[in-house]
């Protein structure tokens, strides 16, 4: 019987586990890594999931080497499979462990954490973790939520968050600059990017449930897809935003 891994199913058609289109991802990578085809950067993704960001880097920068850290063994296995298929496995190192526990003897040119700040307890602790791994002159690529507009009590209940879980966009940038970082580029996800991500997430899971009606977790999958779709369409759509920033240390 096919194993049930919700993360792999929900991201089957949208491997970037964040509301970004592929061209936005590539643009951010080029801003963070550089556009020099001869570059040989060292990249670390803290909370890499299926390694989609790292695979993009390795595909576009033949000299790059990458390290991914995540607690999801299934996602890491998928990353390893994709790396083999792309012919970049010899330049990818994967570690199944909490991102906060990872230590390395050398520093990295780019440190990523997009949509996984929960691994460190929030945005500012994630920035501190990135700082510890970053080489002098390096860049961090960080993606996190923000309030597009003031959340209603109903939205906060749906998300299970408090009003201060996020700031608005300006406040988010203020938090980052106050922590000693300078944004050198940024991308605010559009409503179209959000919709594509959420339709992919909920649709892939709902379709899996329809295609595997005899699986013991088919009902769970269908209910999860429906609940997530309701929370999005009747709740946080247009309220919760997402911004991905290329950052350099201010000092």
């Amino acid at each position: 019987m096919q194993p049930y891994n919700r993360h792999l199913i929900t991201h089957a058609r949208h491997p970037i586990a964040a509301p970004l289109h592929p061209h936005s991802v590539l643009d951010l990578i080029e801003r963070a890594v550089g556009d020099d085809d001869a570059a040989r950067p060292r990249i670390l993704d803290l909370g890499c999931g299926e390694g989609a960001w790292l695979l993009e880097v390795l595909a576009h920068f033949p000299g790059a080497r990458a390290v991914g850290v995540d607690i999801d063994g299934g996602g890491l296995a998928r990353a390893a499979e994709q790396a083999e298929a792309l012919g970049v496995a010899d330049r990818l190192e994967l570690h199944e462990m909490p991102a906060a526990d990872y230590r390395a003897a050398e520093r990295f040119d780019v440190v990523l954490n997009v949509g996984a700040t929960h691994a460190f307890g929030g945005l500012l602790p994630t920035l501190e973790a990135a700082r510890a791994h970053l080489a002098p002159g390096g860049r961090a690529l960080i993606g996190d939520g923000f309030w597009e507009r003031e959340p209603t009590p109903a939205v906060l209940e749906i998300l299970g968050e408090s009003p201060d879980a996020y700031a608005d966009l300006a406040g988010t940038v203020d938090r980052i600059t106050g922590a000693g970082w300078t944004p050198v580029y940024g991308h605010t996800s559009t409503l179209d990017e959000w919709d594509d991500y959420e339709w992919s997430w909920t649709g892939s899971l709902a379709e899996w449930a329809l295609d595997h009606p005899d699986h013991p977790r088919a009902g769970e999958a269908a209910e999860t897809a429906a609940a997530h779709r309701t929370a999005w369409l009747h709740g946080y759509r247009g309220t919760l935003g997402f911004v991905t920033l290329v950052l350099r240390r201010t000092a």
Side-chain angles (χ1 to χ4, degrees), residues 49 58-59 96 184 226 244-245:
L58 295 174
E96 184 178 351
V184 296
T244 310
L245 296 165

Side-chain angles (χ1 to χ4, degrees), residues 39-56:
R40 301 179 64 83
R42 290 262 311 161
I43 316 297
L44 171 65
D45 191 342
L46 296 167
C48 68
E50 298 172 46
W53 287 88
L54 297 180
L55 294 173
E56 286 288 335

Side-chain angles (χ1 to χ4, degrees), residues 120-202:
F120 297 94
L123 175 60
L124 296 185
T126 299
L127 291 173
E128 282 302 304
R131 183 189 296 270
H133 290 288
L134 202 60
R139 292 175 172 85
L141 182 59
I142 306 294
D144 200 20
F146 70 94
W147 296 128
E148 290 270 14
R149 60 188 179 190
E150 185 174 352
T152 65
V155 168
L156 293 174
E157 183 177 357
I158 285 171
L159 293 174
E161 299 284 7
S162 62
D164 60 356
Y166 303 107
D168 61 11
L169 181 58
T172 299
V173 174
D174 288 345
R175 289 179 177 181
I176 290 169
T177 58
W181 297 84
T182 297
V184 296
Y185 185 64
H187 174 80
T188 304
S189 294
T190 65
L191 186 60
D192 180 62
E193 287 178 303
W194 263 110
D195 285 352
D196 180 57
Y197 174 70
E198 296 290 7
W199 282 123
S200 296
W201 200 105
T202 58

Side-chain angles (χ1 to χ4, degrees), residues 25 53 70:
V25 170
W53 287 88
D70 204 278

Side-chain angles (χ1 to χ4, degrees), residues 178-237:
W181 297 84
T182 297
V184 296
Y185 185 64
H187 174 80
T188 304
S189 294
T190 65
L191 186 60
D192 180 62
E193 287 178 303
W194 263 110
D195 285 352
D196 180 57
Y197 174 70
E198 296 290 7
W199 282 123
S200 296
W201 200 105
T202 58
S204 295
L205 190 58
E207 201 161 40
W208 185 90
L210 292 170
D211 290 341
H212 300 83
D214 297 327
H215 196 285
R217 302 188 70 175
E220 174 191 338
E223 291 174 6
T224 300
H228 190 113
R229 185 174 59 245
T230 297
W232 161 50
L233 292 175
H234 292 275
Y236 60 85
R237 184 176 187 266

Side-chain angles (χ1 to χ4, degrees), residues 40 52 76 81 106 136 147 190 249:
R40 301 179 64 83
L76 295 176
E81 291 172 5
E106 58 185 320
W147 296 128
T190 65
R249 292 173 58 175

Side-chain angles (χ1 to χ4, degrees), residues 24-65:
S24 301
V25 170
L26 184 56
D27 190 26
L28 285 159
I29 286 172
E30 290 180 344
R31 297 275 187 158
V33 180
D35 54 10
D36 180 3
D37 291 339
R40 301 179 64 83
R42 290 262 311 161
I43 316 297
L44 171 65
D45 191 342
L46 296 167
C48 68
E50 298 172 46
W53 287 88
L54 297 180
L55 294 173
E56 286 288 335
V57 171
L58 295 174
H60 286 87
F61 293 88
R65 302 191 68 82

